[in-house]
Amino acid sequence: MQTLAGKKILLGISGGIAAYKCAELTRRLIERGAQVQVVMTNAAKEFITPLTMQAVSGRPVSDSLLDPAAEASMGHIELAKWADLVLLAPATADLIARMSAGMGNDLLTTLVLATDSPIAVSPAMNQQMYRNIATQENIATLERRGMHIWGPAAGEQACGDVGPGRMLEPMQLVELCEQFFADKPLKGQSVVITAGPTREAIDPVRYISNHSSGKMGFALAEAANKLGAKVTLIAGPVSLATPAGVERIDVDSAQSMYDAAMQHATTNDVFIGCAAVADYRPATVAEQKIKKTDDSDQMTISMVKNPDIIASVAALTENRPFTVGFAAETQDVETYARGKLVKKKLDLICANDVSVEGQGFNSNDNAITVYWHDGKQSLTLASKQQIAHQIIMTVAEKLDA
Ligand code: PMT
């Protein structure tokens, strides 16, 4: 798909071993419709030849500030204005330091000074150089000036060290470029999402919970963030990394999830309840670990109802957010989901049949039907990331309508 059709990307390559990946990166960008103008530092040419980069980009490489012939075709100021995005990959510690200091002692740093296009920096260097306080401060300076910092990844390095400092893989950089240029239908909107299970304590060491992994809710948070929203993720106890750019609030019980949800619901535009909230909790929590007794083979736990978080949000009379629920069903999915849509007064409900193997709880994939009062949309089995993207796009359409 031509996801980057017509986009002009100035690819600035500095002198690190990861420069060899730039041929692949350029090919993948061009495959998606981008025009790529390569600019190389002198050190970069020690790692990959300008001839290779010219061949893959289909354009002569720019590498000199003081070359009359190059200046006559596209001068450095013109080049700086041409780009929709300046992508510096690999960006060595030296290039980052020179940019941080505002130097313009070669074509690439001069272009960085002369452009008002967005700049993305993909650091690549030895892990110790990356960890060095000077490099860290330089990167923080670039970030503060509004540059996008893409990476680095951690892992085995060309020098044999292991740690952070690997340039992101070409396809990861391509995806970041795609995200950068993608339409952001939720720009200016804020979204609260609940995710994962709740834990209802029985005593200090035992609880009642369920199989929710948080994957669906975290995928929704990531998708909403990528589509431009400011995202607050209220997470039950799960072991997932927080998606980049998302604010996370960790909670435990249904009551603590309710408190966090009610605190944020009125100040956000959209509320999505994806968490598998326990409907009931033990009426009392034993102060000490409950002991097994010899005189009975049974034990009974008396339960009381938890507050219904999503119904409470949907019932708000002032500053009510657009409210999206989930329905985890094992039979008669449409009837039960539509019943919850009406009873809980939701705007949308995303129903999943959790009796089907390979979808629903704790799986990587899901299949969802989104219902609203006079319509529905079926999202067939796909990764939770893809399903989340489609749900968020549907939410954006409904907000727009
Ligand atoms: O976390 P994963 O492993 O990725 O799995 C994803 C999922 C299966 C948990 C998710 O897709 C899902 O279906 N979430 C909702 C689970 C659920 O509790 O469904 P329900 O039909 O019991 O509840 C209906 C709605 O009411 C939900 O939006 C739920 O968040 C909300 N609810 C329920 C009880 C309660 N006390 N408060 C609530 O807000």
Side-chain angles (χ1 to χ4, degrees):
M1 225 169 95
Q2 296 274 292
T3 45
L4 296 171
K7 300 299 178 203
K8 298 182 191 126
I9 299 178
L10 193 153
L11 175 60
I13 309 176
S14 58
I17 181 62
Y20 81 91
K21 295 182 182 174
C22 289
E24 173 75 4
L25 171 61
T26 303
R27 284 192 55 181
R28 299 294 157 236
L29 291 170
I30 287 176
E31 219 169 60
R32 284 160 179 74
Q35 297 171 44
V36 179
Q37 173 62 54
V38 176
V39 176
M40 298 176 80
T41 64
N42 282 337
K45 292 188 276 181
E46 302 291 329
F47 291 94
I48 188 165
T49 67
L51 192 60
T52 303
M53 293 313 301
Q54 175 173 322
V56 290
S57 67
R59 290 163 173 267
V61 167
S62 302
D63 57 2
S64 170
L65 188 56
L66 306 169
D67 177 351
E71 283 296 303
S73 59
M74 178 154 31
H76 66 275
I77 297 295
E78 215 177 322
L79 200 53
K81 288 185 178 151
W82 172 86
D84 295 317
L85 173 69
V86 174
L87 170 59
L88 303 170
T92 58
D94 174 70
L95 177 67
I96 289 169
R98 288 189 291 131
M99 284 162 56
S100 166
M103 289 171 71
N105 58 345
D106 62 5
L107 178 63
L108 191 52
T109 45
T110 305
L111 287 171
V112 167
L113 285 177
T115 191
D116 66 356
S117 305
I119 299 174
V121 181
S122 182
M125 65 200 73
N126 164 270
Q127 53 86 22
Q128 202 55 52
M129 291 169 74
Y130 176 71
R131 288 191 168 109
N132 189 291
I133 185 73
T135 305
Q136 288 301 311
E137 284 179 7
N138 289 334
I139 290 174
T141 301
L142 300 187
E143 202 165 19
R144 210 169 42 247
R145 289 178 192 157
M147 294 187 197
H148 304 271
I149 309 296
W150 290 353
E156 209 170 304
Q157 302 200 299
C159 56
D161 279 9
V162 176
R166 283 171 61 94
M167 188 175 90
L168 295 184
E169 292 304 321
M171 275 315 293
Q172 291 175 298
L173 289 172
V174 169
E175 276 169 29
L176 286 165
C177 289
E178 287 176 325
Q179 279 168 28
F180 177 82
F181 287 116
D183 283 343
K184 302 226 170 10
L186 284 183
K187 197 166 176 196
Q189 305 274 2
S190 55
V191 180
V192 184
I193 298 168
T194 65
T198 61
R199 279 183 188 168
E200 309 304 321
I202 299 170
D203 68 13
V205 297
R206 301 185 181 92
Y207 56 80
I208 294 168
S209 190
N210 59 64
H211 294 292
S212 171
S213 61
K215 288 178 192 169
M216 190 69 243
F218 275 56
L220 285 164
E222 188 177 355
N225 177 260
K226 282 184 183 164
L227 292 171
K230 177 181 163 296
V231 181
T232 306
L233 177 61
I234 301 175
V238 295
S239 52
L240 295 176
T242 312
V246 167
E247 188 194 327
R248 174 173 177 170
I249 299 167
D250 284 312
V251 296
D252 193 74
S253 62
Q255 184 62 50
S256 61
M257 187 173 276
Y258 171 86
D259 293 342
M262 295 315 281
Q263 195 190 330
H264 287 84
T266 53
T267 50
N268 282 271
D269 303 300
V270 179
F271 185 95
I272 304 179
C274 183
V277 186
D279 288 321
Y280 295 89
R281 66 177 184 276
T284 54
V285 181
E287 269 182 36
Q288 304 299 332
K289 185 181 169 198
I290 299 170
K291 297 287 176 204
K292 195 162 55 180
T293 54
D294 291 336
D295 55 348
S296 171
D297 289 338
Q298 293 185 354
M299 93 174 259
T300 305
I301 299 174
S302 169
M303 308 279 279
V304 292
K305 223 177 202 167
N306 272 324
D308 190 313
I309 301 171
I310 200 121
S312 309
V313 171
L316 286 166
T317 47
E318 271 179 41
N319 301 319
R320 176 192 182 276
F322 184 87
T323 309
V324 182
F326 268 70
E329 307 298 345
T330 54
Q331 56 172 324
D332 238 342
V333 176
E334 176 154 4
T335 312
Y336 285 116
R338 283 202 175 280
K340 285 175 186 171
L341 179 74
V342 174
K343 188 162 176 242
K344 298 190 185 214
K345 297 191 169 62
L346 307 175
D347 297 298
L348 291 182
I349 194 156
C350 306
N352 37 195
D353 186 340
V354 293
S355 68
V356 179
E357 178 100 20
Q359 65 183 54
F361 283 94
N362 201 15
S363 60
N364 292 327
D365 300 330
N366 212 356
I368 291 270
T369 305
V370 187
Y371 297 99
W372 55 96
H373 297 284
D374 54 0
K376 67 175 181 180
Q377 183 192 12
S378 295
L379 309 175
T380 51
L381 190 70
S383 72
K384 282 185 175 167
Q385 282 69 25
Q386 287 167 299
I387 294 286
H389 175 83
Q390 295 179 71
I391 292 172
I392 299 293
M393 287 300 286
T394 305
V395 170
E397 277 165 31
K398 296 286 166 203
L399 286 176
D400 236 18

